[in-house]
Amino acid sequence: MSLSIDSDTICAITTPPGKSGVGVVRVSGPLCLQIAKGILGFSPIPRHAHYSAFLDQNGEPVDKGIALYFASPNSFTGEDILELQGHGGYFILDLLVKEVIKYGARIARPGEFSERAFLNGKIDLAQAEAIADLIESSSSAAARSAVRTLQGDFSKLIYSVTESIVELRVFIEAAIDFADEEIDFLTKGRTVARLSEIIASLDDIFSRAKQGSILREGMSVVIAGKPNAGKSSLLNALAGKDTAIVTEIAGTTRDTLLEHLNIDGMPLHVTDTAGLRESNDPVEREGIRRALSAIDQADRILLVVDSVNDSLDASCIQEYLESMEPFFKTTSLDPARITIIQNKIDLQMKAPALETHPIAENQSLTTVYLSAKHKKGIDILQQHLKSCMGFQASEEGCFTARRRHLQALESSRNHLQRAHDQLSFQRSSELVAEDLRLAHRYLGDITGEFTADDLLGRIFSSFCIGK
């Protein structure tokens, strides 16, 4: 995918397939005015709505609707843009696109309109990605966060920190270039203090970006355990409906079952899996293989235990985990990813609860006591899952962010911290300058200032056609 600006005029149907009252064909490029004259029969006035027939090259009407013309550079892409808003039938819109192509336009690639807006400086990369995130929002909170990023809230904070880093780079590199001059700010602690301020600002941005990333991507949860522990009942309780089949027969679930849920705005992708046990049944073995694959990729594993037959107290949790070792080879039994679910507490007349047990040095494991069948303790589990992701119910001030944004922010902060340490202890201005340069570069990856073409190509190709 080439990211150089070309002179092609592009077009696409921007509304989703299907029958609707209105369908839109978007055109961008230097031929827009010529195409408008041909299809409308007159030159449209920029930024005015024209109700007109849409004509083919023989002068016969194809459809009738509203035409909008935006002259460069006052448009989304920064180029001339023509939007034809007609009726929403696929064949009508397809005929209209074919007429546009006859005047020299071509079909746009996925994301090419947003790509041109980025290349023409109308939006930065974070704003471009927010367009796709807004379209794909799975909750109102995620949509509002995407809008904030699209409006530039995220980018403004990045630019502010970047400007502060650039100012420090100028001072430090001046000290290197003019070592004989009395530029002594490195020894007076002012630069160290300024770096501390920048790091604190970046920490605040990261916290808000992480919240936005949770709203966008959610949390992947796998429900695992032995047969008949109540895994499918737990999925149904979390979903609030009978999604999975529940019977008294062990091994009822033979395949993975994915359900997309929402907890206070946080997307939750929950997978029910086949019971983990040794089996000679080829179908069940395949189900177990798929279960282990899902477990390996999950953010959190809910290990469901039948509290009647496998009741665990703090002294035997480690022993139980070791008994499951053959099934968790790929996960290394990382306690940070596992929550024990003591199910069926209704049969023991126990109250729902959450407990944390130490299992090794600096390691602990959380146990939630609940009844999936009677939906008791589900609220405790939901709060626990939100806590695991660091999710806050209020999305005020957060903005949508992607994993690559979080990685860039972390990398930038690491280099800023190294620069801080260099100044505080080793006082090596050359190494400080290099760390500041790298911190600046990682922040530039977020807005697209330094981003490689291959990454840009992957980002824009993931957009839908017409955006």
Side-chain angles (χ1 to χ4, degrees), residues 411-436:
S411 297
S412 181
R413 190 201 188 283
N414 289 339
H415 283 290
L416 289 174
Q417 187 63 53
R418 285 177 55 179
H420 183 280
D421 294 342
Q422 291 287 350
L423 285 175
S424 300
F425 304 109
Q426 300 180 25
R427 304 189 183 282
S428 174
S429 55
E430 289 82 1
L431 293 177
V432 170
E434 176 62 11
D435 278 318
L436 290 179

Side-chain angles (χ1 to χ4, degrees), residues 124-323:
D124 62 30
L125 188 56
Q127 290 173 295
E129 290 171 298
I131 295 171
D133 295 341
L134 181 59
I135 293 170
E136 297 171 2
S137 297
S138 58
S139 69
S140 60
R144 285 192 290 268
S145 295
V147 169
R148 292 191 190 98
T149 302
L150 183 56
Q151 290 175 332
D153 289 11
F154 186 19
S155 301
K156 289 174 185 175
L157 293 172
I158 297 298
Y159 290 137
S160 177
V161 172
T162 299
E163 183 62 29
S164 297
I165 293 175
V166 169
E167 290 174 1
L168 278 184
R169 290 184 65 188
V170 170
F171 285 132
I172 291 174
E173 290 174 13
I176 295 171
D177 293 339
F178 302 98
D180 295 334
E181 301 293 331
E182 293 185 2
I183 302 178
D184 60 353
F185 61 89
L186 291 178
T187 62
K188 292 183 177 179
R190 285 182 291 174
T191 306
V192 173
R194 184 65 181 129
L195 266 173
S196 296
E197 293 173 1
I198 295 172
I199 291 171
S201 297
L202 208 58
D203 287 341
D204 178 64
I205 295 172
F206 181 85
S207 175
R208 294 163 66 180
K210 184 177 180 181
Q211 180 77 356
S213 178
I214 294 170
L215 287 172
R216 177 184 178 271
E217 299 183 10
M219 181 184 190
S220 63
V221 176
V222 166
I223 301 174
K226 295 178 180 179
N228 250 12
K231 300 183 298 299
S232 296
S233 295
L234 180 58
L235 174 64
N236 291 343
L238 286 169
K241 58 182 180 181
D242 291 337
T243 296
I245 297 174
V246 176
T247 72
E248 298 296 327
I249 303 172
T252 299
T253 302
R254 296 292 188 97
D255 201 352
T256 56
L257 178 60
L258 177 63
E259 185 75 13
H260 299 285
L261 314 177
N262 192 294
I263 302 177
D264 293 337
M266 183 182 82
L268 203 65
H269 315 293
V270 186
T271 302
D272 184 21
T273 62
L276 301 178
R277 66 177 177 180
E278 297 295 337
S279 175
N280 294 322
D281 185 332
V283 176
E284 187 172 7
R285 288 174 63 183
E286 174 60 20
I288 293 171
R289 186 196 68 78
R290 295 186 183 188
L292 296 177
S293 177
I295 288 168
D296 190 35
Q297 300 174 40
D299 292 322
R300 175 132 307 254
I301 303 161
L302 302 183
L303 186 56
V304 184
V305 178
D306 182 341
S307 63
V308 176
N309 299 312
D310 286 311
S311 181
L312 302 183
D313 56 30
S315 63
C316 60
I317 285 180
Q318 187 65 45
E319 181 181 344
Y320 183 83
L321 289 177
E322 290 174 358
S323 73

Side-chain angles (χ1 to χ4, degrees), residues 10 18 36 72 74 108 238 245 253 261 282 300 343-344 364 370 382 404 429:
I10 58 174
S72 171
N74 301 313
L238 286 169
I245 297 174
T253 302
L261 314 177
R300 175 132 307 254
N343 191 25
K344 305 183 182 180
S364 60
L370 56 78
Q382 290 174 333
R404 76 170 195 89
S429 55

